[in-house]
Amino acid sequence: MNLLLAPMEGLLDFTLRDVLTRAGGIHRCVSEFIRITDMLLPERVYERVMPELANGGFTPVGIPVRGQLLGSDPACLADNAARLVSLSPHGVDLNFGCPAKIVNRHGGGASLLDDPELLHRILAEVRRSVPAGTVVSAKMRLGTQDDSRALDCARALADGGAMEIVVHGRTKLQGYRPPAYWARIGEVREAVKVPVIANGEIWRVADARRCLAESGCRDLMLGRGQVADPGLALAILHDQLVGDADDARAPTLSWPEVLQLFAAYWDIVRAHIVPRYQAGRLKQWLQHLRRRYPEAERAYQALRTEQDAERLATTLLAELPQACLAGPMGAGRYTAGFAAALPHAGKSAQLPPPESLPANGRFLQGIQSERHRGVRPEERAAERAGAAAQDA
């Protein structure tokens, strides 16, 4: 099986992709969406959202990243897909699943699921604009208000040229409220001839096991569950290998091991995010870790009002032995125990030794401007607003 790391606007950007792929078990990532409106975007926009493009389209530990586009104009999406492909990502993904109101108001994301014919035109145009060997995939939900058009939408995507479809098992209206309807994903899978990947509400090994059984899918996409539990992908792979029905015996990352990942995350954030947003990034991930780790809950309650990123990181990492902070954080740190036992674990189980991989953030060397150095659009907007207030 393959486990994909989901695109999550406002959360899972290149900084977390770097760290979560270090933990192991992830075979491929998809970038957060790049909004396409009415123009051909310059290369720097793609490089800002997907700095892995400067590293051959791989995260620093060697996991491939596919670029995701979001929009509704077939011709404009096609032109931008061609430009993205010229930068050598590992394929182009099209977003028909984002439920955000601001995106849907402007005719993007899940709102397009009301128009299967338009979905087909978009896929066909994008498919024609990129070389024949380029993977073009799509991510969709079950619908907007209900799931009555789910099969029509999936067929439109597949017939238009999608080589793979990720289905989030909820409608736009359902948002992220549990449950996810995995059996309905299975009906989509049976309706098309291309691979379908199941996504939604996978927090534990038991969830993954049930999702695979109910959907009939072979592969899964992990989102918030992987952010909350960086060892989830490895635990799922282990479960598929040994068939152990007891979640308690699945391998997990200890809190000290998670803190090692957090230390690496802090290094990346400190190097590539402007100082005023660093503390927010750290607290955002810590908040998600609360779901899986009691230690994260205690740390979050103690540090949630801290605005100085340096003090926040120093306090949080104080319990981690200095030897761990100084140790290697490259590929294989957590996959080593599984590499021999997982013949189908894919690229994450066959990574080169850490010393042969780029150092933290090395793949970002070509992006020197602070404006394009991993700062999210809303962060830049907030910075402009703050500057204007100061001027006033």
Side-chain angles (χ1 to χ4, degrees):
M1 71 182 304
N2 289 306
L3 296 176
L4 283 62
L5 189 61
M8 299 183 68
E9 178 66 14
L11 173 63
L12 224 168
D13 65 352
F14 74 91
T15 61
L16 264 184
R17 282 198 295 272
D18 182 341
V19 173
L20 293 179
T21 53
R22 296 184 193 211
I26 297 297
H27 302 87
R28 186 172 72 247
C29 303
V30 180
S31 77
E32 64 272 41
F33 67 72
I34 300 166
R35 185 75 163 98
I36 307 300
T37 53
D38 57 356
M39 64 179 290
L40 179 61
L41 296 177
E43 292 182 359
R44 68 176 183 272
V45 175
Y46 298 100
E47 292 166 345
R48 174 180 59 79
V49 176
M50 248 187 97
E52 295 96 341
L53 291 170
N55 192 44
F58 293 97
T59 68
V61 294
I63 305 303
V65 183
R66 188 173 296 172
Q68 187 181 81
L69 304 181
L70 179 147
S72 57
D73 183 285
C76 199
L77 280 167
D79 290 343
N80 279 276
R83 171 153 290 179
L84 173 59
V85 169
S86 72
L87 300 174
S88 301
H90 292 269
V92 176
D93 190 69
L94 296 167
N95 182 317
F96 306 112
C98 180
K101 291 181 179 178
I102 189 169
V103 169
N104 285 233
R105 262 201 315 271
H106 292 85
S111 67
L112 295 173
L113 298 172
D114 283 332
D115 193 346
E117 183 181 342
L118 179 55
L119 297 183
H120 183 276
R121 292 208 318 271
I122 290 173
L123 260 295
E125 288 284 342
V126 169
R127 180 70 270 173
R128 281 193 291 267
S129 73
V130 300
T134 304
V135 175
V136 177
S137 58
K139 186 179 183 189
M140 60 173 279
R141 282 178 172 252
L142 294 176
T144 54
Q145 303 303 305
D146 59 54
D147 64 358
S148 60
R149 292 184 175 179
L151 303 188
D152 291 339
C153 289
R155 292 189 187 105
L157 295 173
D159 293 345
M163 302 166 68
E164 177 183 278
I165 301 173
V166 174
V167 181
H168 184 103
R170 285 177 279 226
T171 64
K172 177 177 80 75
L173 183 63
Q174 290 162 343
Y176 294 98
R177 295 191 304 273
Y181 297 92
W182 299 321
R184 188 64 168 142
I185 298 176
E187 295 174 20
V188 173
R189 178 185 58 79
E190 293 174 354
V192 296
K193 296 180 180 179
V194 300
V196 170
I197 297 169
N199 170 237
E201 213 62 23
I202 302 171
W203 297 95
R204 302 179 302 137
V205 169
D207 298 329
R209 195 182 301 128
R210 284 180 47 230
C211 180
L212 292 168
E214 292 183 23
S215 69
C217 294
R218 183 189 64 185
D219 303 325
L220 301 174
M221 176 175 275
L222 306 177
R224 293 174 299 158
Q226 185 70 18
V227 175
D229 181 0
L232 179 62
L234 279 180
I236 292 171
L237 291 177
H238 179 270
D239 178 70
Q240 291 299 300
L241 179 72
V242 304
D244 192 340
D246 186 356
D247 262 13
R249 287 198 288 268
T252 60
L253 296 186
S254 67
W255 181 240
E257 288 175 316
V258 171
L259 283 181
Q260 280 191 269
L261 288 176
F262 208 97
Y265 184 59
W266 167 228
D267 285 343
I268 300 165
V269 166
R270 181 165 44 187
H272 301 295
I273 304 301
V274 293
R276 67 185 303 169
Y277 299 114
Q278 291 175 0
R281 290 291 186 97
L282 298 181
K283 285 190 282 189
Q284 184 183 44
W285 190 25
L286 185 61
Q287 183 175 16
H288 282 79
L289 290 169
R290 296 160 63 195
R291 183 179 181 112
R292 171 65 178 80
Y293 293 93
E295 299 93 337
E297 172 65 33
R298 291 193 292 270
Y300 181 79
Q301 293 303 328
L303 297 169
R304 61 192 178 89
T305 61
E306 178 59 71
Q307 299 301 315
D308 184 280
E310 191 77 42
R311 285 198 298 267
L312 192 157
T314 301
T315 303
L316 179 63
L317 300 174
E319 59 189 272
L320 192 61
Q322 194 62 34
C324 293
L325 286 171
M329 287 298 304
R333 168 63 182 84
Y334 301 115
T335 57
F338 296 90
L342 293 171
H344 304 296
K347 201 170 186 66
S348 63
Q350 304 171 21
L351 294 172
E355 59 270 16
S356 70
L357 294 165
N360 284 356
R362 176 102 45 93
F363 63 100
L364 291 173
Q365 284 181 342
I367 304 175
Q368 300 297 332
S369 169
E370 185 176 89
R371 182 184 176 194
H372 302 293
R373 199 175 57 178
V375 183
R376 296 175 184 153
E378 66 270 19
E379 291 174 344
R380 291 200 303 276
E383 190 167 39
R384 287 196 296 271
Q390 286 180 347
D391 293 341

